[in-house]
Amino acid sequence: MTSLVGSPPLDVFVRTSGVKKLSRFLQWQCCEDTQIHMIDPCWPEFGLLDFLPILLDYQRKVWATASKK
């Protein structure tokens, strides 16, 4: 993992517009635990209903990891 000094790694990386590729935008902050989501809505149309499934998926995975410890 490579990141700026003092900045935490990304927990969730969301790519809007339906493009299925990773650009170099914030990719350098990702680590092996970063969840990557590529969704169809473009940024201005991205709203709460698009974000909730991503948030719930992240929460489910964090809770699953915590219960294994």
Side-chain angles (χ1 to χ4, degrees):
M1 174 185 76
T2 305
S3 64
L4 291 175
V5 174
S7 65
L10 293 177
D11 292 322
V12 179
F13 181 90
V14 179
R15 170 88 186 211
T16 59
S17 80
V19 176
K20 305 288 185 205
K21 70 174 191 169
L22 291 175
S23 63
R24 293 187 180 175
F25 177 72
L26 287 180
Q27 186 177 2
W28 51 269
Q29 275 190 302
C30 293
C31 66
E32 64 273 1
D33 296 328
T34 302
Q35 291 184 26
I36 298 174
H37 296 271
M38 297 179 183
I39 60 172
D40 290 330
C42 290
W43 173 245
E45 291 83 32
F46 180 77
L48 183 61
L49 293 178
D50 300 306
F51 184 61
L52 277 176
I54 295 169
L55 183 63
L56 292 173
D57 185 50
Y58 172 74
Q59 184 179 25
R60 180 184 55 81
K61 289 178 181 175
V62 167
W63 285 355
T65 303
S67 68
K68 290 180 183 178
K69 291 181 180 179

